[in-house]
Amino acid sequence: MVKRSSFSVATGLYVNYLLFGMFNIMLASHMSFLTEHLNTDQVGISLLVSAMGFGRLFTLYISGVLSDRYGRKPFIVAAGLLMAVFLVGIPLSPNFEIAMVLAVLAGVANSFLDSGTYPALIEAFPQSSGSATVLVRGFISIGAAFLPLMIIFFMKHDIFYGFSFFLPALIFTLNAVYLFKMKFPDMRVQAPKDSIRDSPATNVEQQTVKPEANDRSKPRFWQEGIYLILLGFTGPTLLYIVQLWLPTFGQQFIGMTESESLRLLVYYNAGSLVSVFVLVIVLRKWIKPVHIILIYPCISLLAFGALLLFKSQAAAIISSCVIGFSISGVLQLTLTVMSEFFSQRKGQITGFIYTATSLSYTVIPVFTGFLLKHSQISSVFMLAIIVNVLGIILAIFVNFRYSTVFPANRKSPSKIVLETE
């Protein structure tokens, strides 16, 4: 039976990720304000986003190791406080250089938050860890949908834009104090055998069927392994292009006002939230993760094409919803499929995929920023289409190898932990 203290801890963890949903698009949503305040341009803001990716990339592994050694609480509390420092510091930064330092700290905070929260949720709810972690993605989408509405409210009432930074910072700080006083679950907890069906950590390991002698092929890291690692780069690339440049696209390509363009992020995150619940349902009985990583990129390709082809506000709203729906969860599904292929090397392959993800977070904001400087915003979304097509090609190869390694009469695991992108 789950202890009441587990629910108390989980409440604080989910609040963190609701705030993280705002945090994750904070810079992109304040592009015009920050370029003026920091005396820079859109390339400079994209550099700040890359600095966050840099901080995450170089602390992700070590924070996970230290979290296993010293416990979840110190890293989760530290993450909340560091994010509060970033949120307060950015609107008050006297120059761009200070903002860059704060952005690196924000990346460190991101890695602390991830390395502490997901293990803590699994330890708090060992019998229903899948459901517990799925909710994280939902709270991120809720927070990301709420932030543009808050910004629009402040704009209409001529309130200093920094308050949309300060309010989440205050809640981060109060929540860090709250979690500091909580008793976290025992790190040594193990999911009981009868809970395997709902445990994302054990589901793949326990249910993956090893190839038998009559299999036509065995998993090959230098084939499907590499394809999946590259998918770990393409998925986050699409996510970051949309989160960083969708409002700019609405203003410059379609001619929307600033408040109207910010609402595109609301529609995007609404689609993402719907996708979370759809995946939870369809992956239980009807469809495998390996098929979703091909179906979703096909849907997003059509939506990106419509975004560029139909130059209207209505088309932009519909496309934003569909893109949010079809991007959400692809990274985590990729990780699940790779775990099916290489069930004995989960830690190693997780490191490979999240390294590719972090590289995407670091490189893509810079590259798209310079691309925009020398071209139009439409070129950034043409890049998204190219990356999307690459993702489809990779997914086709993975599906082919999957059908070769796992014959059709075999059942494979179909559950997934929908973590933060």
Side-chain angles (χ1 to χ4, degrees):
M1 189 172 181
V2 179
K3 296 179 179 179
R4 182 177 297 180
S5 60
S6 295
F7 288 101
S8 299
V9 170
T11 298
L13 299 180
Y14 290 136
V15 168
N16 270 343
Y17 273 95
L18 187 148
L19 296 170
F20 180 77
M22 302 182 193
F23 172 92
N24 210 30
I25 62 169
M26 190 67 75
L27 296 181
S29 300
H30 290 88
M31 187 81 71
S32 59
F33 296 111
L34 291 175
T35 52
E36 181 179 351
H37 174 72
L38 297 174
N39 193 27
T40 184
D41 54 15
Q42 292 175 329
V43 177
I45 303 304
S46 65
L47 283 173
L48 287 178
V49 178
S50 288
M52 293 169 65
F54 179 85
R56 184 177 188 271
L57 175 63
F58 287 95
T59 55
L60 190 60
Y61 175 77
I62 188 63
S63 64
V65 172
L66 294 177
S67 172
D68 285 337
R69 177 174 296 182
Y70 297 110
R72 318 304 180 195
K73 182 193 289 189
F75 292 90
I76 295 171
V77 171
L81 295 176
L82 285 175
M83 287 183 175
V85 169
F86 168 81
L87 290 169
V88 172
I90 287 294
L92 302 179
S93 293
N95 53 56
F96 183 78
E97 290 72 20
I98 296 296
M100 283 288 286
V101 174
L102 290 170
V104 173
L105 286 178
V108 174
N110 189 350
S111 68
F112 282 6
L113 190 66
D114 287 345
S115 63
T117 300
Y118 287 101
L121 284 172
I122 292 170
E123 290 153 4
F125 304 101
Q127 293 185 321
S128 56
S129 54
S131 301
T133 50
V134 160
L135 286 173
V136 169
R137 180 64 219 176
F139 277 97
I140 291 174
S141 297
I142 292 170
F146 180 75
L147 177 67
L149 299 177
M150 183 169 66
I151 296 172
I152 292 169
F153 175 82
F154 287 158
M155 288 172 59
K156 286 183 176 180
H157 293 82
D158 292 325
I159 300 173
F160 174 52
Y161 81 92
F163 280 100
S164 56
F165 285 76
F166 300 154
L167 184 57
L170 175 61
I171 302 174
F172 260 129
T173 302
L174 294 175
N175 200 45
V177 174
Y178 168 80
L179 287 171
F180 180 76
K181 295 180 178 180
M182 289 292 104
K183 182 180 179 181
F184 274 58
D186 190 346
M187 290 171 53
R188 297 168 296 177
V189 68
Q190 297 292 329
K193 292 182 180 179
D194 61 357
S195 70
I196 288 174
R197 291 187 59 196
D198 193 38
S199 172
T202 59
N203 190 49
V204 172
E205 183 176 2
Q206 297 293 337
Q207 297 186 28
T208 299
V209 181
K210 294 182 181 179
E212 295 175 354
N214 62 352
D215 281 351
R216 288 171 288 171
S217 182
K218 292 183 179 181
R220 298 171 184 171
F221 181 80
W222 293 108
Q223 287 188 24
E224 57 268 24
I226 296 298
Y227 301 152
L228 286 161
I229 290 172
L230 290 174
L231 277 171
F233 183 88
T234 60
T237 294
L238 296 177
L239 185 146
Y240 251 73
I241 286 175
V242 174
Q243 288 187 337
L244 189 59
W245 299 115
L246 187 58
T248 303
F249 179 88
Q251 293 176 54
Q252 296 185 5
F253 188 79
I254 301 176
M256 302 170 72
T257 65
E258 186 171 6
S259 61
E260 289 172 341
S261 68
L262 285 171
R263 284 196 177 92
L264 292 180
L265 289 176
V266 178
Y267 300 124
Y268 163 80
N269 284 289
S272 178
L273 184 60
V274 171
S275 180
V276 170
F277 295 106
V278 170
L279 287 175
V280 169
I281 295 170
V282 302
L283 289 173
R284 286 180 178 272
K285 298 179 180 179
W286 295 296
I287 197 165
K288 298 175 182 178
V290 71
H291 299 146
I292 292 289
I293 66 172
L294 176 57
I295 294 170
Y296 265 28
C298 290
I299 296 173
S300 61
L301 179 62
L302 294 174
F304 276 117
L307 194 65
L308 287 168
L309 185 61
F310 302 107
K311 195 174 180 180
S312 70
Q313 184 169 334
I317 291 171
I318 295 171
S319 297
S320 297
C321 286
V322 176
I323 290 171
F325 178 90
S326 55
I327 290 179
S328 178
V330 171
L331 172 62
Q332 291 74 36
L333 290 165
T334 300
L335 181 58
T336 293
V337 174
M338 196 161 183
S339 295
E340 294 184 48
F341 277 112
F342 308 102
S343 60
Q344 304 303 316
R345 303 165 62 183
K346 289 191 190 65
Q348 188 177 23
I349 60 98
T350 299
F352 285 143
I353 287 185
Y354 275 99
T355 296
T357 299
S358 296
L359 284 173
S360 173
Y361 291 168
T362 304
V363 172
I364 291 303
V366 174
F367 183 76
T368 54
F370 281 103
L371 187 63
L372 183 60
K373 187 173 184 178
H374 299 286
S375 185
Q376 297 178 339
I377 186 64
S378 58
S379 64
V380 174
F381 283 80
M382 284 300 301
L383 172 65
I385 288 179
I386 294 170
V387 172
N388 205 144
V389 171
L390 175 61
I392 291 173
I393 294 171
L394 292 169
I396 290 172
F397 280 118
V398 171
N399 272 266
F400 172 75
R401 287 292 299 157
Y402 191 92
S403 65
T404 303
V405 174
F406 303 103
N409 63 332
R410 297 278 177 79
K411 289 186 178 180
S412 63
S414 60
K415 292 196 178 178
I416 176 64
V417 184
L418 294 180
E419 299 174 10
T420 174
E421 275 103 350

